[in-house]
Amino acid sequence: MAEKDFAIVCDATCDLPLSFLEKSAVVPVRLDGADGPVLDERAAAERLYRSLAAAGHTQVVSVHSAACFSPLVAAARAAAEDCAGVADVRVVDSGSASVATGMLVDRAARYRHFDVAFEDAVAGLETLASRVRLLALPAPGSRLAGRRRRPRGGLIGRAAASLRTRVTGERGLYLLSHGEVTQLARNNDRAALLRRLAHAVGTVANNDGALVSALADAGDARTLRALERALVETDADVACLGTVRALAPSEEALGSGSVALAIAPSSAYWRDEASLAGLGSQNGVSGSGDEQNDGTG
């Protein structure tokens, strides 16, 4: 295959519709055993990489959500090493999840469409991964919400915090960026949390300039509409790419009724493909994954 005709792999936490993945020739890692027994993540990824290599795709970029959200990124790295003699597999960790990971998958498809060289495409994706963030209002008791700092007081303190959440309906606002989960706010007033989220977006826009965003919801249309209104009221320069329904793996992590917003600087997301030329060979390495960005304030 030509140098620029690389394969793109993702996992189901990118929350992009199957129709988009099929149209863009993006291949998800399958664990469901459609053609045999159910496989663990590492075996499933290795099987897919070897299958792509057998079809002539010896260069593969595999885009995954952060390890705190999806176990596939670690499995993909291990599988890439297992396939080192068969295919050149580069695993890109979005450092985030859901539609933030979807942003990277979308850009990977675009870079390939416009014939960006494999090394440069990987470097461009790693650079974007360092700039993308996910702000989420997960359901109380969800896996992501459970990652907040444990309250003081040992078992009694944790039990009290859990009881308070159930009784008051208290929810949290979380930031997922660079693979780390940070709780930004906690309140039993949904409107207050949405205002805090919109304020965080406005702060990022003030620091980074114009933003692009994408929304994912897990069945709470009311909260989704309220979030859209809150974002409009901030008057921040944010262009929405669209809204998707969270797929099952993301809904499992965020909880039913959750909502999430991905943001990235427009300059990073809409980067001209010509500007990627040679990026992969800078300093003799592929990518700019250690590039950091400012917090949300």
Side-chain angles (χ1 to χ4, degrees):
M1 308 297 288
E3 178 191 7
K4 299 172 183 177
D5 188 21
F6 54 87
I8 303 170
V9 169
C10 71
D11 64 58
T13 61
C14 73
D15 283 340
L16 291 175
L18 182 59
S19 57
F20 172 88
L21 300 181
E22 292 175 343
K23 183 177 179 180
S24 303
V26 176
V27 188
V29 178
R30 295 178 61 93
L31 306 176
D32 58 9
D35 58 352
V38 174
L39 300 176
D40 63 29
E41 289 88 354
R42 180 172 178 171
E46 180 180 351
R47 178 182 63 177
L48 177 54
Y49 299 154
R50 291 185 180 277
S51 174
L52 290 169
H57 296 279
T58 57
Q59 293 180 316
V60 180
V61 58
S62 199
V63 183
H64 301 281
S65 294
C68 60
F69 198 89
S70 169
L72 258 168
V73 66
R77 289 196 179 103
E81 292 182 3
D82 295 338
C83 297
V86 176
D88 182 3
V89 181
R90 308 293 179 88
V91 177
V92 176
D93 181 350
S94 74
S96 197
S98 184
V99 277
T101 303
M103 284 184 175
L104 269 69
V105 175
D106 172 78
R107 293 298 88 182
R110 179 180 175 87
Y111 295 164
R112 182 178 60 187
H113 177 77
F114 284 99
D115 294 329
V116 175
F118 178 64
E119 296 278 355
D120 296 335
V122 172
L125 293 172
E126 290 178 342
T127 299
L128 179 58
S130 73
R131 308 297 302 281
V132 72
R133 302 170 173 91
L134 187 77
L135 292 155
L137 268 68
S142 66
R143 190 167 78 237
L144 187 69
R147 297 189 66 86
R148 68 186 181 187
R149 291 181 181 178
R150 291 183 177 180
R152 296 177 181 178
L155 291 174
I156 295 176
R158 291 196 292 275
S162 177
L163 178 62
R164 183 179 66 247
T165 297
R166 290 197 301 270
V167 171
T168 66
E170 187 179 68
R171 296 178 68 168
L173 169 62
Y174 296 83
L175 168 70
L176 176 52
S177 177
H178 296 103
E180 298 291 333
V181 179
T182 304
Q183 183 175 286
L184 301 180
R186 190 172 66 208
N187 206 309
N188 59 1
D189 183 345
R190 182 195 61 174
L193 287 175
L194 293 175
R195 288 193 298 271
R196 179 65 180 87
L197 190 158
H199 173 74
V201 172
T203 299
V204 174
N206 288 336
N207 291 336
D208 292 357
L211 304 175
V212 294
S213 68
L215 286 156
D217 83 282
D220 190 345
R222 181 184 173 196
T223 298
L224 181 65
R225 290 193 298 270
L227 174 55
E228 291 171 336
R229 289 193 298 270
L231 291 170
V232 170
E233 290 170 1
T234 66
D235 203 28
D237 190 355
V238 183
C240 185
L241 299 170
T243 302
V244 299
R245 181 68 163 83
L247 300 178
S250 289
E251 185 168 343
E252 180 182 348
L254 293 169
S256 179
S258 61
V259 64
L261 174 78
I263 54 174
S266 294
S267 58
Y269 184 81
W270 293 116
R271 183 171 185 169
D272 183 81
E273 288 76 25
S275 71
L276 297 172
L279 186 63
S281 60
Q282 288 182 3
N283 301 320
V285 297
S286 173
S288 308
D290 60 349
E291 182 176 316
Q292 298 295 317
N293 58 346
D294 296 328
T296 58

